[in-house]
Amino acid sequence: TGTVRLWDVAGRRQQRVLAGHSSFAWCVAFCPAGRRVASGAGDGAVRVWDAGSGREELVLPGHRGPVWGVAFHPGGSRLAT
């Protein structure tokens, strides 16, 4: 629980495991440039990851319940949850 897995579809291999949520991750989205991944979970947090390294860049806590959806603005600088 609490992980997001990034896969190389063409190579059929797992590239990264993004771990940090304390509950199931319900949603994920890549930023338009593909450099970041946002995930929302049942723990009420949104986490933003560097897609290349898997490093967690940002935690956005404070939701009163599970986060069911995340979406990047087309410019990539804003995130809706």
Side-chain angles (χ1 to χ4, degrees):
T1 65
T3 61
V4 173
R5 296 176 188 274
L6 300 182
W7 295 83
D8 171 359
V9 176
R12 299 180 181 182
R13 295 183 335 187
Q14 180 177 288
Q15 289 185 316
R16 304 261 180 275
V17 175
L18 310 177
H21 288 290
S22 62
S23 181
F24 287 104
W26 292 110
C27 53
V28 297
F30 272 94
C31 76
R35 291 188 297 260
R36 290 188 177 88
V37 177
S39 59
D43 59 10
V46 172
R47 295 176 184 276
V48 179
W49 315 86
D50 179 284
S53 70
R55 182 179 60 85
E56 183 179 88
E57 293 185 341
L58 183 62
V59 179
L60 304 169
H63 295 82
R64 294 182 183 203
V67 178
W68 299 105
V70 293
F72 278 94
H73 180 273
S77 63
R78 291 186 279 173
L79 180 69
T81 64

